[in-house]
Amino acid sequence: MVRVPGLMIREAVEADANAMGHLHVRAWQRAYRGVMPDEYLDGLQAQDRIAMWQGRISRTDLPPLLVAVVADEVVGFAAFGAEQAPTTPPACGELYAMNLDPDHWGRGIGRVLLRRVTEALVAMGYEEAVLWVVPENQRARALYESEGWVADGGVSTEEILGVTVTDIRYRKPLVASPSQP
């Protein structure tokens, strides 16, 4: 069991959007430097991400976002739900995004947040889940792999906020099938 002193994982509320927007920009600027163009990363605006997260938090027709809070400060978040582009029936769950403020990397917060997302996807009835990650994001890939996620050969090139990015798909069974011991 991973324990992070003072860490709380809870559902995001509208007041969290400001912190989420700022940490989202900081996380992308650090994690994707050398992967995405510097001018794109340097041009990211927290206000744009704040507005995006305000809109997403206010949607009651989607699963809640989870935030990681340490000392009353939002230091991370995760968005998840049904697989956005199902490739195999039955539908899988999907981790859409998980970001941590770079000042909090390496403290176990991402691991706890990922495990809570996994628990939430199981509670939603999914038996497996997928996520997409940029191949160069070795930090995230190491975390996912240490938690039992496996690259399954899926590759996608997509436009993300104005930049074309190649992602690889990871997959994880969430519950043992009846035929497994």
Side-chain angles (χ1 to χ4, degrees):
M1 176 64 110
V2 175
R3 297 221 184 267
V4 178
L7 174 63
M8 177 176 54
I9 306 293
R10 63 168 171 76
E11 291 183 15
V13 297
E14 285 193 44
D16 297 328
N18 186 57
M20 291 171 66
H22 285 279
L23 80 86
H24 196 175
V25 168
R26 286 173 37 88
W28 274 49
Q29 287 174 335
R30 179 85 60 88
Y32 298 122
R33 188 72 61 191
V35 176
M36 295 180 176
D38 286 349
E39 56 274 8
Y40 171 76
L41 293 171
D42 294 340
L44 292 174
Q45 297 293 314
Q47 283 307 121
D48 296 337
R49 300 295 172 100
I50 292 166
M52 179 183 77
W53 291 119
Q54 285 171 331
R56 174 56 183 79
I57 291 167
S58 68
R59 300 233 0 227
T60 58
D61 60 323
L62 297 174
L65 296 164
L66 295 179
V67 291
V69 180
V70 175
D72 296 324
E73 177 188 0
V74 173
V75 299
F77 65 85
F80 57 93
E83 185 178 13
Q84 292 181 332
T87 55
T88 58
C92 292
E94 183 173 345
L95 172 61
Y96 308 137
M98 188 170 86
N99 286 273
L100 293 177
D101 187 297
D103 290 344
H104 294 273
W105 288 356
R107 297 182 183 177
I109 297 168
R111 183 173 309 281
V112 173
L113 186 55
L114 181 60
R115 288 179 180 176
R116 289 292 292 279
V117 166
T118 302
E119 292 167 5
L121 289 168
V122 168
M124 293 167 70
Y126 296 109
E127 294 183 3
E128 72 176 337
V130 296
L131 62 81
W132 294 87
V133 62
V134 174
E136 296 86 352
N137 191 343
Q138 292 300 322
R139 175 182 289 279
R141 291 180 66 189
L143 170 62
Y144 300 143
E145 291 169 7
S146 74
E147 289 294 312
W149 294 80
V150 177
D152 71 359
V155 176
S156 173
T157 300
E158 61 184 315
E159 184 99 358
I160 299 177
L161 302 171
V163 175
T164 301
V165 176
T166 299
D167 291 318
I168 58 174
R169 185 177 55 214
Y170 275 68
R171 186 175 297 272
K172 178 179 179 165
L174 299 179
V175 293
S177 69
S179 64
Q180 291 178 333

